[in-house]
Amino acid sequence: MDKNAISPRRYVPLDYSFRFKRNKSTGLPFFLDNLGDDLLLVLLAFVPFSSDPISVALAIFFFHISFWTVYEIGYFENDAVSASFEHEAKVTPGFDRAATYFSERQAWLWAVVFAAPGALLVAWVTEPKAAGLFVLFYLLTWIALLGCLRAVYYAYNRIDKLSRVLVYLPLQILKYGFPLVFFYLPAAGAALIFAQCLRRWVPYIVYRYGRSGLVGLPSKVLRILSFLSIWLLLLPSNLSESYLIQGGTILGWLCLRGFSQTRKVVREMQHVQHDKWSSSGRMDS
């Protein structure tokens, strides 16, 4: 029996994303991609050469889960708004089942629960002599950031499709830059975050504004080139052993993640005389 056919009797954090929002036939399962790409990328950007790498990494992990618990509200709301207002509604399969148990209130409660250990770890790293006094302050700071995320996603779900392109980039910056409220971001890490935002944003622009959609756009190759460009531009003013080591580590990981796409792009390169692209955006038959 298909496991998606059996709905849980109560709300479970990230269940909607895992069971309904990610098409496994066109990409990695939600948690594998979320932890293996999104979270690992954020860790590579913030953790190396931090004052307490283990504590910082654990704090980011807890905040990441908390962040996505609220981000998932936007996923669900996107389908709800589509079903209610859009003329050509494209609702995620399983939305009707999930609507019987999904709870925004419980999502917020879980988000605070997940964030509490993260706030404790931040206080431990930044104010070790008075950690207890700062835990509540850091937790409230985090809740304020989640409120900002919720407001941006709320607006995104309710404006027209082309205007969403303008709001999509802030969503990506929040998604990958959230640790900035607590931790220092090195130059190489900033380049990685920006490259990842471009990787998400540019295909979305093409998807919304390009009629063909360019489904085969090599987004991981775009990420490699974006990171390398920004990293090299920042190199003269940030020449240090840590900058070179972290940048080299990040570049190696990006190349590993994008190897298959890079190989495909290289293999498909051809002389301009054989080019079948036309100004109309269609491939000549």
Side-chain angles (χ1 to χ4, degrees):
M1 180 180 294
D2 184 359
K3 63 181 180 181
N4 287 341
I6 303 176
S7 296
R9 296 181 179 178
R10 59 181 181 178
Y11 166 83
V12 177
L14 303 182
D15 177 78
Y16 188 72
S17 301
F18 173 68
R19 290 160 64 91
F20 304 117
K21 203 62 181 177
R22 182 63 58 88
N23 186 349
K24 297 179 183 179
S25 64
T26 60
L28 296 173
F30 172 76
F31 283 113
L32 183 59
D33 190 43
N34 183 272
L35 299 179
D37 195 89
D38 289 341
L39 175 59
L40 185 55
L41 183 146
V42 174
L43 293 175
L44 281 171
F46 284 91
V47 173
F49 307 105
S50 60
S51 59
D52 189 345
I54 295 178
S55 297
V56 171
L58 287 174
I60 289 176
F61 170 78
F62 284 115
F63 285 133
H64 178 83
I65 301 300
S66 173
F67 182 95
W68 271 90
T69 302
V70 173
Y71 198 89
E72 184 182 50
I73 298 173
Y75 274 167
F76 179 81
E77 182 183 58
N78 183 269
D79 286 326
V81 172
S82 178
S84 301
F85 300 108
E86 294 180 11
H87 297 294
E88 298 178 354
K90 294 182 180 180
V91 179
T92 300
F95 168 73
D96 291 337
R97 293 196 300 274
T100 63
Y101 64 84
F102 190 89
S103 170
E104 180 173 352
R105 180 182 179 183
Q106 291 189 48
W108 273 101
L109 291 174
W110 277 106
V112 174
V113 170
F114 288 134
L120 180 61
L121 287 164
V122 172
W124 174 263
V125 172
T126 59
E127 305 290 343
K129 295 183 179 180
L133 298 177
F134 284 87
V135 172
L136 180 59
F137 171 75
Y138 289 137
L139 186 59
L140 292 175
T141 300
W142 178 251
I143 293 174
L145 183 139
L146 292 181
C148 179
L149 166 66
R150 185 71 188 93
V152 173
Y153 217 145
Y154 182 91
Y156 171 88
N157 284 332
R158 285 165 173 77
I159 59 177
D160 64 273
K161 298 293 181 64
L162 292 182
S163 297
R164 287 180 180 181
V165 169
L166 302 176
V167 185
Y168 194 79
L169 182 58
L171 275 178
Q172 302 312 302
I173 294 174
L174 285 168
K175 184 190 297 183
Y176 299 107
F178 65 81
L180 266 172
V181 295
F182 301 122
F183 302 118
Y184 169 73
L185 178 62
L192 175 61
I193 295 297
F194 185 72
Q196 176 68 0
C197 290
L198 282 182
R199 181 209 167 189
R200 300 292 188 188
W201 191 41
V202 171
Y204 187 75
I205 294 174
V206 175
Y207 166 67
R208 288 300 184 195
Y209 282 90
R211 293 184 178 182
S212 64
L214 292 182
V215 176
L217 187 71
S219 61
K220 291 182 180 178
V221 178
L222 174 65
R223 180 170 63 178
I224 294 172
L225 296 176
S226 300
F227 169 77
L228 187 60
S229 299
I230 300 168
W231 185 64
L232 291 176
L233 286 172
L234 292 172
L235 182 60
S237 59
N238 294 276
L239 187 58
S240 65
E241 183 179 359
S242 62
Y243 185 82
L244 293 173
I245 293 175
Q246 185 183 12
T249 301
I250 290 171
L251 183 61
W253 177 74
L254 292 177
C255 290
L256 181 64
R257 288 283 298 167
F259 176 76
S260 60
Q261 277 192 5
T262 303
R263 182 175 58 180
K264 184 174 183 295
V265 168
V266 172
R267 286 182 174 180
E268 292 180 352
M269 285 183 180
Q270 58 184 351
H271 194 274
V272 66
Q273 71 184 52
H274 303 298
D275 192 5
K276 296 182 178 180
W277 186 87
S278 66
S279 60
S280 63
R282 299 189 300 269
M283 296 293 289
D284 294 334
S285 57

